[in-house]
Amino acid sequence: VSLSGIFLAAGSGPLGDMRGTALALASGITYAAYILYLDKSGLKQMNFIKLCLYLSIVKTIIAGAYGLAAGRLSVQLNVFGLGMTVVMGILAVILAVILFQIGVCYTGAANAAVFSLLDPVTSLVLGCLWMGEQLTPGKGVGCLMILSGIFLTIKGERWNC
């Protein structure tokens, strides 16, 4: 239910951009593997800041290699752009990774994965509130399907299904 909702919430045409859909699916699979590995490997016991540093280094190397290979690496930023990069680095990278790792420690990988389904809903709501994006009927139905999937998962655990 939630996966169907995510595709609807994406809001593109009937099939959308297949390249974007494939990248989103690969991202979801990679993220699920990361959550499971974090929970089962003992990484969740690692110091949060240390793990965040290692992840940031790996992501920087991967993004830099891709940018170089694609010929799209640009580091020309004005003061505002540099400031926004620092803010996003703190909020989206450091704070998010640390809080997520703490969440996996307390709730486990399965619960963290279920609540990660709220990411597209949160993105759509914030996009509408802050960026003036339009909430189309398809996106609204997609959000409801995602929330329904979360609800069914939680209820299923309580009913021992």
Side-chain angles (χ1 to χ4, degrees):
V1 173
S2 292
L3 185 59
S4 300
I6 290 170
F7 282 111
L8 275 176
S12 25
L15 293 176
D17 179 5
M18 292 308 289
R19 182 177 46 174
T21 302
L23 286 172
L25 187 59
S27 172
I29 291 168
T30 304
Y31 193 61
Y34 163 68
I35 293 170
L36 289 173
Y37 187 75
L38 179 65
D39 188 47
K40 303 299 180 200
S41 70
L43 272 181
K44 69 180 181 180
Q45 306 305 329
M46 182 185 283
N47 179 286
F48 306 129
I49 295 174
K50 187 180 201 180
L51 179 62
C52 185
L53 172 69
Y54 291 155
L55 289 173
S56 295
I57 290 171
V58 169
K59 289 187 268 186
T60 300
I61 291 169
I62 291 170
Y66 175 79
L68 286 172
R72 296 183 179 177
L73 186 64
S74 175
V75 289
Q76 300 173 354
L77 295 174
N78 59 21
V79 175
F80 178 76
L82 186 59
M84 291 306 294
T85 301
V86 170
V87 168
M88 289 303 297
I90 291 169
L91 293 177
V93 177
I94 296 172
L95 193 59
V97 169
I98 290 173
L99 290 176
F100 186 77
Q101 185 180 1
I102 292 169
V104 170
C105 284
Y106 284 112
T107 65
N111 288 329
V114 169
F115 285 106
S116 290
L117 288 171
L118 288 172
D119 290 351
V121 175
T122 305
S123 297
L124 283 170
V125 169
L126 292 178
C128 291
L129 293 175
W130 286 348
M131 306 299 288
E133 293 181 10
Q134 190 165 353
L135 182 62
T136 63
K139 290 179 182 181
V141 170
C143 287
L144 289 175
M145 290 177 73
I146 292 168
L147 294 173
S148 298
I150 293 170
F151 176 77
L152 291 172
T153 301
I154 292 170
K155 280 295 191 187
E157 289 175 359
R158 288 189 183 154
W159 292 331
N160 293 323
C161 291

